[in-house]
Amino acid sequence: MASADSFTIKVKGSQTHGAMPWMGVDPIVVASQIVLGLQTIVSRQTDLTATRRLSLWARSRGGSF
């Protein structure tokens, strides 16, 4: 049976000074890890003989102040 579901994930980063990059959160890295995790569910946690499709794509860059 086919179905379509939708969901929204908002990833927010935090800026930091160049001298202390470990104090910030890079939203691109976080979003990439989310995509990799979702792909791992499809490729490693489901029956390989069944057809599975996971389509993700929408990104938005916030403005800078």
Side-chain angles (χ1 to χ4, degrees):
M1 296 183 111
S3 70
D5 297 312
S6 65
F7 57 91
T8 301
I9 299 174
K10 291 186 180 185
V11 177
K12 295 179 101 179
S14 63
Q15 295 179 348
T16 187
H17 189 273
M20 296 180 290
W22 59 88
M23 299 293 288
V25 176
D26 186 351
I28 302 299
V29 174
V30 174
S32 298
Q33 289 295 319
I34 292 169
V35 170
L36 287 171
L38 291 170
Q39 176 57 38
T40 301
I41 292 171
V42 172
S43 65
R44 302 288 185 219
Q45 304 294 324
T46 59
D47 182 10
L48 296 177
T49 61
T51 301
R52 301 280 187 254
R53 180 174 298 166
L54 175 65
S55 298
L56 302 173
W57 195 251
R59 68 180 172 152
S60 174
R61 183 187 150 283
S64 57
F65 297 98

Short mmCIF file of all heavy atoms in Angstrom, two decimals:
data_model
loop_
_atom_site.label_atom_id
_atom_site.label_comp_id
_atom_site.label_asym_id
_atom_site.label_seq_id
_atom_site.Cartn_x
_atom_site.Cartn_y
_atom_site.Cartn_z
N MET A 1 0.83 -1.17 0.00
CA MET A 1 0.00 0.00 0.00
C MET A 1 0.88 1.24 0.00
O MET A 1 1.89 1.31 0.68
CB MET A 1 -0.88 0.04 1.23
CG MET A 1 -1.88 -1.08 1.34
SD MET A 1 -2.90 -0.84 2.79
CE MET A 1 -4.42 -0.47 2.01
N ALA A 2 0.47 2.20 -0.74
CA ALA A 2 1.22 3.46 -0.80
C ALA A 2 0.65 4.44 0.22
O ALA A 2 -0.53 4.41 0.54
CB ALA A 2 1.11 4.05 -2.19
N SER A 3 1.51 5.24 0.74
CA SER A 3 1.07 6.29 1.64
C SER A 3 2.03 7.46 1.53
O SER A 3 3.16 7.31 1.08
CB SER A 3 1.00 5.80 3.09
OG SER A 3 2.29 5.58 3.59
N ALA A 4 1.57 8.58 1.94
CA ALA A 4 2.41 9.77 1.96
C ALA A 4 2.25 10.44 3.31
O ALA A 4 1.15 10.63 3.80
CB ALA A 4 2.00 10.73 0.85
N ASP A 5 3.36 10.72 3.92
CA ASP A 5 3.37 11.41 5.21
C ASP A 5 4.29 12.62 5.08
O ASP A 5 5.20 12.64 4.26
CB ASP A 5 3.88 10.50 6.32
CG ASP A 5 2.98 9.30 6.55
OD1 ASP A 5 1.76 9.50 6.65
OD2 ASP A 5 3.50 8.18 6.61
N SER A 6 4.06 13.57 5.90
CA SER A 6 4.95 14.73 5.91
C SER A 6 5.26 15.10 7.34
O SER A 6 4.50 14.82 8.25
CB SER A 6 4.33 15.90 5.16
OG SER A 6 3.18 16.35 5.84
N PHE A 7 6.41 15.71 7.51
CA PHE A 7 6.82 16.17 8.83
C PHE A 7 7.76 17.35 8.65
O PHE A 7 8.30 17.58 7.57
CB PHE A 7 7.48 15.06 9.64
CG PHE A 7 8.66 14.43 8.97
CD1 PHE A 7 9.93 14.93 9.19
CD2 PHE A 7 8.51 13.35 8.13
CE1 PHE A 7 11.03 14.36 8.58
CE2 PHE A 7 9.59 12.76 7.51
CZ PHE A 7 10.86 13.28 7.74
N THR A 8 7.95 18.07 9.70
CA THR A 8 8.83 19.23 9.68
C THR A 8 9.85 19.09 10.80
O THR A 8 9.49 18.76 11.93
CB THR A 8 8.03 20.53 9.90
OG1 THR A 8 7.06 20.64 8.86
CG2 THR A 8 8.93 21.74 9.89
N ILE A 9 11.08 19.31 10.46
CA ILE A 9 12.16 19.35 11.45
C ILE A 9 12.82 20.71 11.31
O ILE A 9 13.24 21.09 10.22
CB ILE A 9 13.20 18.24 11.20
CG1 ILE A 9 12.56 16.87 11.31
CG2 ILE A 9 14.35 18.37 12.19
CD1 ILE A 9 13.48 15.73 10.93
N LYS A 10 12.91 21.43 12.38
CA LYS A 10 13.58 22.72 12.37
C LYS A 10 14.90 22.58 13.12
O LYS A 10 14.92 22.13 14.26
CB LYS A 10 12.74 23.80 13.03
CG LYS A 10 11.51 24.15 12.23
CD LYS A 10 10.76 25.30 12.84
CE LYS A 10 9.54 25.63 11.99
NZ LYS A 10 8.85 26.80 12.49
N VAL A 11 15.98 22.93 12.46
CA VAL A 11 17.31 22.88 13.06
C VAL A 11 17.78 24.31 13.23
O VAL A 11 17.84 25.06 12.27
CB VAL A 11 18.29 22.08 12.17
CG1 VAL A 11 19.68 22.09 12.77
CG2 VAL A 11 17.80 20.67 11.96
N LYS A 12 18.12 24.66 14.45
CA LYS A 12 18.60 26.00 14.72
C LYS A 12 20.04 25.93 15.19
O LYS A 12 20.39 25.14 16.05
CB LYS A 12 17.75 26.67 15.81
CG LYS A 12 16.30 26.89 15.39
CD LYS A 12 15.52 27.51 16.50
CE LYS A 12 15.39 28.98 16.21
NZ LYS A 12 14.61 29.67 17.24
N GLY A 13 20.88 26.74 14.58
CA GLY A 13 22.28 26.81 14.98
C GLY A 13 22.50 27.99 15.91
O GLY A 13 21.60 28.77 16.18
N SER A 14 23.71 28.07 16.38
CA SER A 14 24.08 29.23 17.20
C SER A 14 25.45 29.73 16.76
O SER A 14 26.35 28.95 16.49
CB SER A 14 24.08 28.89 18.69
OG SER A 14 25.05 27.92 18.98
N GLN A 15 25.54 31.03 16.66
CA GLN A 15 26.78 31.65 16.22
C GLN A 15 27.80 31.63 17.35
O GLN A 15 27.45 31.54 18.53
CB GLN A 15 26.53 33.09 15.80
CG GLN A 15 25.65 33.21 14.59
CD GLN A 15 25.41 34.67 14.23
OE1 GLN A 15 25.70 35.58 15.00
NE2 GLN A 15 24.86 34.90 13.06
N THR A 16 29.03 31.74 16.96
CA THR A 16 30.11 31.80 17.93
C THR A 16 31.26 32.61 17.35
O THR A 16 31.27 32.94 16.17
CB THR A 16 30.57 30.39 18.33
OG1 THR A 16 31.50 30.49 19.40
CG2 THR A 16 31.19 29.67 17.17
N HIS A 17 32.20 32.90 18.15
CA HIS A 17 33.39 33.63 17.71
C HIS A 17 34.37 32.65 17.08
O HIS A 17 34.44 31.49 17.48
CB HIS A 17 34.02 34.34 18.92
CG HIS A 17 35.11 35.29 18.52
ND1 HIS A 17 36.41 34.87 18.36
CD2 HIS A 17 35.09 36.61 18.24
CE1 HIS A 17 37.15 35.91 18.00
NE2 HIS A 17 36.37 36.97 17.93
N GLY A 18 35.13 33.11 16.10
CA GLY A 18 36.10 32.26 15.42
C GLY A 18 37.16 31.68 16.34
O GLY A 18 37.75 30.65 16.04
N ALA A 19 37.42 32.33 17.46
CA ALA A 19 38.41 31.83 18.41
C ALA A 19 37.87 30.68 19.26
O ALA A 19 38.64 29.97 19.89
CB ALA A 19 38.89 32.96 19.32
N MET A 20 36.53 30.49 19.28
CA MET A 20 35.91 29.43 20.08
C MET A 20 34.82 28.71 19.28
O MET A 20 33.65 28.76 19.64
CB MET A 20 35.31 30.02 21.36
CG MET A 20 36.32 30.63 22.28
SD MET A 20 35.57 31.31 23.76
CE MET A 20 34.70 32.72 23.10
N PRO A 21 35.17 28.03 18.20
CA PRO A 21 34.14 27.41 17.37
C PRO A 21 33.38 26.29 18.07
O PRO A 21 32.26 25.98 17.68
CB PRO A 21 34.94 26.87 16.17
CG PRO A 21 36.33 26.73 16.65
CD PRO A 21 36.51 27.80 17.68
N TRP A 22 33.94 25.70 19.08
CA TRP A 22 33.27 24.61 19.81
C TRP A 22 32.10 25.11 20.65
O TRP A 22 31.29 24.32 21.11
CB TRP A 22 34.27 23.88 20.70
CG TRP A 22 34.93 24.77 21.71
CD1 TRP A 22 34.45 25.06 22.97
CD2 TRP A 22 36.13 25.49 21.56
NE1 TRP A 22 35.29 25.94 23.61
CE2 TRP A 22 36.35 26.22 22.76
CE3 TRP A 22 37.05 25.63 20.54
CZ2 TRP A 22 37.44 27.04 22.95
CZ3 TRP A 22 38.16 26.44 20.75
CH2 TRP A 22 38.34 27.14 21.93
N MET A 23 31.96 26.41 20.79
CA MET A 23 30.86 26.97 21.57
C MET A 23 29.58 27.13 20.74
O MET A 23 28.53 27.38 21.29
CB MET A 23 31.26 28.33 22.15
CG MET A 23 32.46 28.29 23.08
SD MET A 23 32.09 27.42 24.61
CE MET A 23 31.02 28.59 25.39
N GLY A 24 29.67 26.97 19.43
CA GLY A 24 28.52 27.16 18.56
C GLY A 24 27.95 25.83 18.08
O GLY A 24 28.47 24.76 18.37
N VAL A 25 26.86 25.91 17.36
CA VAL A 25 26.22 24.75 16.75
C VAL A 25 26.09 25.02 15.26
O VAL A 25 25.46 26.00 14.85
CB VAL A 25 24.83 24.49 17.37
CG1 VAL A 25 24.14 23.35 16.66
CG2 VAL A 25 24.95 24.21 18.86
N ASP A 26 26.70 24.16 14.44
CA ASP A 26 26.64 24.31 12.99
C ASP A 26 25.39 23.58 12.48
O ASP A 26 25.33 22.34 12.51
CB ASP A 26 27.89 23.72 12.36
CG ASP A 26 27.97 23.97 10.86
OD1 ASP A 26 26.96 24.44 10.28
OD2 ASP A 26 29.03 23.68 10.28
N PRO A 27 24.37 24.29 12.02
CA PRO A 27 23.12 23.65 11.62
C PRO A 27 23.27 22.77 10.37
O PRO A 27 22.50 21.83 10.19
CB PRO A 27 22.17 24.81 11.37
CG PRO A 27 23.06 25.96 11.05
CD PRO A 27 24.30 25.75 11.87
N ILE A 28 24.25 23.04 9.52
CA ILE A 28 24.46 22.22 8.32
C ILE A 28 24.91 20.82 8.73
O ILE A 28 24.44 19.81 8.20
CB ILE A 28 25.49 22.87 7.37
CG1 ILE A 28 25.04 24.26 6.95
CG2 ILE A 28 25.75 21.96 6.18
CD1 ILE A 28 23.72 24.29 6.20
N VAL A 29 25.81 20.73 9.68
CA VAL A 29 26.28 19.43 10.16
C VAL A 29 25.15 18.67 10.85
O VAL A 29 24.97 17.47 10.63
CB VAL A 29 27.48 19.61 11.13
CG1 VAL A 29 27.89 18.30 11.75
CG2 VAL A 29 28.65 20.24 10.40
N VAL A 30 24.35 19.36 11.64
CA VAL A 30 23.22 18.71 12.32
C VAL A 30 22.20 18.19 11.32
O VAL A 30 21.75 17.04 11.41
CB VAL A 30 22.56 19.70 13.32
CG1 VAL A 30 21.31 19.10 13.92
CG2 VAL A 30 23.54 20.08 14.41
N ALA A 31 21.85 19.00 10.33
CA ALA A 31 20.88 18.57 9.31
C ALA A 31 21.42 17.39 8.51
O ALA A 31 20.67 16.46 8.18
CB ALA A 31 20.54 19.73 8.39
N SER A 32 22.71 17.39 8.21
CA SER A 32 23.31 16.26 7.49
C SER A 32 23.22 14.98 8.29
O SER A 32 22.94 13.91 7.73
CB SER A 32 24.77 16.57 7.17
OG SER A 32 24.89 17.69 6.35
N GLN A 33 23.44 15.05 9.58
CA GLN A 33 23.35 13.86 10.43
C GLN A 33 21.92 13.33 10.49
O GLN A 33 21.70 12.13 10.55
CB GLN A 33 23.86 14.17 11.84
CG GLN A 33 25.35 14.37 11.91
CD GLN A 33 26.10 13.09 11.56
OE1 GLN A 33 25.74 12.00 11.97
NE2 GLN A 33 27.13 13.24 10.76
N ILE A 34 20.95 14.23 10.47
CA ILE A 34 19.54 13.81 10.45
C ILE A 34 19.24 13.03 9.18
O ILE A 34 18.63 11.96 9.21
CB ILE A 34 18.60 15.02 10.62
CG1 ILE A 34 18.74 15.61 12.02
CG2 ILE A 34 17.16 14.64 10.32
CD1 ILE A 34 18.07 16.95 12.19
N VAL A 35 19.68 13.55 8.03
CA VAL A 35 19.44 12.88 6.75
C VAL A 35 20.13 11.52 6.73
O VAL A 35 19.54 10.52 6.31
CB VAL A 35 19.92 13.77 5.57
CG1 VAL A 35 19.89 12.99 4.27
CG2 VAL A 35 19.07 15.01 5.47
N LEU A 36 21.37 11.45 7.20
CA LEU A 36 22.07 10.17 7.24
C LEU A 36 21.37 9.17 8.15
O LEU A 36 21.27 7.98 7.84
CB LEU A 36 23.52 10.38 7.70
CG LEU A 36 24.43 11.02 6.69
CD1 LEU A 36 25.78 11.36 7.34
CD2 LEU A 36 24.65 10.12 5.50
N GLY A 37 20.87 9.63 9.27
CA GLY A 37 20.15 8.75 10.18
C GLY A 37 18.87 8.21 9.58
O GLY A 37 18.55 7.02 9.71
N LEU A 38 18.13 9.06 8.88
CA LEU A 38 16.90 8.61 8.23
C LEU A 38 17.20 7.61 7.11
O LEU A 38 16.50 6.61 6.94
CB LEU A 38 16.12 9.80 7.69
CG LEU A 38 15.50 10.71 8.75
CD1 LEU A 38 14.96 11.98 8.11
CD2 LEU A 38 14.41 9.98 9.50
N GLN A 39 18.26 7.85 6.36
CA GLN A 39 18.65 6.91 5.31
C GLN A 39 19.07 5.57 5.89
O GLN A 39 18.79 4.52 5.33
CB GLN A 39 19.78 7.50 4.46
CG GLN A 39 20.29 6.54 3.40
CD GLN A 39 19.21 6.05 2.45
OE1 GLN A 39 18.32 6.80 2.08
NE2 GLN A 39 19.29 4.81 2.03
N THR A 40 19.72 5.59 7.04
CA THR A 40 20.12 4.35 7.70
C THR A 40 18.91 3.54 8.12
O THR A 40 18.91 2.30 8.02
CB THR A 40 21.01 4.66 8.92
OG1 THR A 40 22.15 5.38 8.48
CG2 THR A 40 21.45 3.39 9.62
N ILE A 41 17.85 4.19 8.55
CA ILE A 41 16.62 3.46 8.90
C ILE A 41 16.09 2.74 7.67
O ILE A 41 15.75 1.55 7.74
CB ILE A 41 15.56 4.43 9.46
CG1 ILE A 41 15.99 4.96 10.81
CG2 ILE A 41 14.20 3.73 9.57
CD1 ILE A 41 15.12 6.09 11.33
N VAL A 42 16.05 3.42 6.54
CA VAL A 42 15.52 2.81 5.31
C VAL A 42 16.42 1.67 4.85
O VAL A 42 15.95 0.60 4.48
CB VAL A 42 15.37 3.88 4.20
CG1 VAL A 42 15.01 3.23 2.88
CG2 VAL A 42 14.33 4.91 4.60
N SER A 43 17.72 1.87 4.86
CA SER A 43 18.63 0.89 4.28
C SER A 43 18.98 -0.26 5.22
O SER A 43 19.33 -1.35 4.75
CB SER A 43 19.91 1.57 3.81
OG SER A 43 20.62 2.11 4.91
N ARG A 44 18.90 -0.08 6.52
CA ARG A 44 19.37 -1.10 7.45
C ARG A 44 18.30 -1.68 8.37
O ARG A 44 18.51 -2.71 8.98
CB ARG A 44 20.49 -0.54 8.33
CG ARG A 44 21.66 -0.02 7.57
CD ARG A 44 22.45 -1.14 6.97
NE ARG A 44 23.65 -0.61 6.34
CZ ARG A 44 24.13 -1.07 5.21
NH1 ARG A 44 23.54 -2.05 4.58
NH2 ARG A 44 25.21 -0.54 4.69
N GLN A 45 17.17 -1.02 8.47
CA GLN A 45 16.17 -1.45 9.44
C GLN A 45 14.88 -1.96 8.80
O GLN A 45 13.93 -2.26 9.50
CB GLN A 45 15.83 -0.30 10.40
CG GLN A 45 17.01 0.27 11.13
CD GLN A 45 17.62 -0.71 12.10
OE1 GLN A 45 16.93 -1.49 12.72
NE2 GLN A 45 18.94 -0.69 12.21
N THR A 46 14.82 -2.03 7.48
CA THR A 46 13.62 -2.50 6.81
C THR A 46 13.96 -3.69 5.93
O THR A 46 15.11 -3.91 5.57
CB THR A 46 12.98 -1.39 5.95
OG1 THR A 46 13.93 -0.96 4.97
CG2 THR A 46 12.57 -0.20 6.80
N ASP A 47 12.95 -4.45 5.57
CA ASP A 47 13.11 -5.62 4.71
C ASP A 47 13.58 -5.17 3.32
O ASP A 47 12.95 -4.33 2.68
CB ASP A 47 11.77 -6.35 4.60
CG ASP A 47 11.85 -7.61 3.78
OD1 ASP A 47 12.97 -8.03 3.44
OD2 ASP A 47 10.78 -8.18 3.48
N LEU A 48 14.68 -5.73 2.86
CA LEU A 48 15.24 -5.31 1.59
C LEU A 48 14.42 -5.75 0.39
O LEU A 48 14.57 -5.21 -0.70
CB LEU A 48 16.67 -5.85 1.45
CG LEU A 48 17.67 -5.30 2.46
CD1 LEU A 48 19.02 -5.95 2.27
CD2 LEU A 48 17.78 -3.80 2.33
N THR A 49 13.56 -6.74 0.56
CA THR A 49 12.74 -7.20 -0.57
C THR A 49 11.52 -6.30 -0.79
O THR A 49 10.89 -6.37 -1.82
CB THR A 49 12.29 -8.65 -0.37
OG1 THR A 49 11.51 -8.73 0.83
CG2 THR A 49 13.50 -9.57 -0.25
N ALA A 50 11.19 -5.51 0.19
CA ALA A 50 10.06 -4.58 0.06
C ALA A 50 10.57 -3.24 -0.48
O ALA A 50 11.68 -2.82 -0.18
CB ALA A 50 9.39 -4.38 1.40
N THR A 51 9.74 -2.61 -1.26
CA THR A 51 10.11 -1.31 -1.81
C THR A 51 9.91 -0.23 -0.77
O THR A 51 8.84 -0.11 -0.18
CB THR A 51 9.26 -0.99 -3.05
OG1 THR A 51 9.46 -2.02 -4.01
CG2 THR A 51 9.66 0.34 -3.65
N ARG A 52 10.94 0.52 -0.53
CA ARG A 52 10.87 1.64 0.41
C ARG A 52 11.44 2.86 -0.28
O ARG A 52 12.43 2.79 -1.00
CB ARG A 52 11.71 1.38 1.66
CG ARG A 52 11.32 0.15 2.43
CD ARG A 52 10.10 0.45 3.29
NE ARG A 52 9.81 -0.68 4.15
CZ ARG A 52 8.81 -1.51 3.96
NH1 ARG A 52 8.02 -1.34 2.93
NH2 ARG A 52 8.59 -2.50 4.77
N ARG A 53 10.83 3.99 -0.04
CA ARG A 53 11.34 5.23 -0.60
C ARG A 53 11.23 6.31 0.45
O ARG A 53 10.20 6.49 1.08
CB ARG A 53 10.54 5.63 -1.83
CG ARG A 53 11.04 6.93 -2.43
CD ARG A 53 10.36 7.26 -3.71
NE ARG A 53 10.66 6.18 -4.65
CZ ARG A 53 10.01 5.99 -5.78
NH1 ARG A 53 9.03 6.79 -6.11
NH2 ARG A 53 10.34 5.01 -6.59
N LEU A 54 12.30 7.02 0.60
CA LEU A 54 12.33 8.16 1.51
C LEU A 54 12.80 9.35 0.71
O LEU A 54 13.91 9.36 0.18
CB LEU A 54 13.28 7.89 2.68
CG LEU A 54 13.50 9.04 3.65
CD1 LEU A 54 12.20 9.35 4.38
CD2 LEU A 54 14.59 8.70 4.63
N SER A 55 11.95 10.33 0.57
CA SER A 55 12.30 11.52 -0.19
C SER A 55 12.28 12.71 0.76
O SER A 55 11.27 13.00 1.39
CB SER A 55 11.30 11.75 -1.32
OG SER A 55 11.34 10.68 -2.22
N LEU A 56 13.40 13.37 0.84
CA LEU A 56 13.53 14.56 1.68
C LEU A 56 14.15 15.66 0.84
O LEU A 56 15.10 15.41 0.14
CB LEU A 56 14.49 14.31 2.84
CG LEU A 56 14.19 13.19 3.81
CD1 LEU A 56 15.35 13.04 4.76
CD2 LEU A 56 12.94 13.51 4.59
N TRP A 57 13.62 16.80 0.93
CA TRP A 57 14.36 17.94 0.42
C TRP A 57 13.56 19.20 0.58
O TRP A 57 12.58 19.42 -0.08
CB TRP A 57 14.79 17.79 -1.02
CG TRP A 57 15.83 18.83 -1.32
CD1 TRP A 57 15.66 19.92 -2.10
CD2 TRP A 57 17.13 18.90 -0.82
NE1 TRP A 57 16.82 20.66 -2.12
CE2 TRP A 57 17.74 20.06 -1.33
CE3 TRP A 57 17.89 18.11 0.05
CZ2 TRP A 57 19.05 20.42 -1.04
CZ3 TRP A 57 19.18 18.49 0.33
CH2 TRP A 57 19.74 19.62 -0.22
N ALA A 58 14.01 19.97 1.44
CA ALA A 58 13.58 21.34 1.57
C ALA A 58 14.55 21.96 2.55
O ALA A 58 14.79 21.41 3.61
CB ALA A 58 12.17 21.45 2.10
N ARG A 59 15.15 23.01 2.17
CA ARG A 59 16.03 23.68 3.11
C ARG A 59 15.83 25.16 2.97
O ARG A 59 15.48 25.67 1.92
CB ARG A 59 17.48 23.29 2.92
CG ARG A 59 18.06 23.78 1.65
CD ARG A 59 19.49 23.37 1.51
NE ARG A 59 19.86 23.76 0.16
CZ ARG A 59 21.05 24.08 -0.21
NH1 ARG A 59 22.02 24.05 0.63
NH2 ARG A 59 21.28 24.44 -1.43
N SER A 60 16.06 25.81 4.04
CA SER A 60 15.88 27.25 4.07
C SER A 60 17.00 27.84 4.89
O SER A 60 17.32 27.36 5.97
CB SER A 60 14.53 27.58 4.69
OG SER A 60 14.40 28.95 4.85
N ARG A 61 17.62 28.84 4.37
CA ARG A 61 18.68 29.51 5.09
C ARG A 61 18.11 30.75 5.73
O ARG A 61 17.48 31.56 5.06
CB ARG A 61 19.81 29.86 4.12
CG ARG A 61 20.99 30.49 4.79
CD ARG A 61 21.94 30.96 3.69
NE ARG A 61 22.69 32.11 4.12
CZ ARG A 61 22.27 33.35 4.19
NH1 ARG A 61 21.05 33.64 3.85
NH2 ARG A 61 23.05 34.32 4.58
N GLY A 62 18.36 30.89 6.99
CA GLY A 62 17.89 32.08 7.68
C GLY A 62 18.74 33.29 7.32
O GLY A 62 19.83 33.18 6.76
N GLY A 63 18.25 34.43 7.64
CA GLY A 63 19.00 35.65 7.36
C GLY A 63 20.08 35.90 8.40
O GLY A 63 20.07 35.33 9.49
N SER A 64 21.01 36.72 8.09
CA SER A 64 22.04 37.09 9.05
C SER A 64 21.79 38.51 9.53
O SER A 64 21.23 39.35 8.82
CB SER A 64 23.42 36.97 8.43
OG SER A 64 23.50 37.78 7.28
N PHE A 65 22.16 38.75 10.73
CA PHE A 65 21.90 40.05 11.35
C PHE A 65 23.16 40.85 11.44
O PHE A 65 24.20 40.40 11.65
CB PHE A 65 21.30 39.88 12.75
CG PHE A 65 19.98 39.19 12.71
CD1 PHE A 65 19.87 37.83 12.95
CD2 PHE A 65 18.83 39.90 12.42
CE1 PHE A 65 18.65 37.19 12.91
CE2 PHE A 65 17.60 39.26 12.39
CZ PHE A 65 17.53 37.91 12.64
#
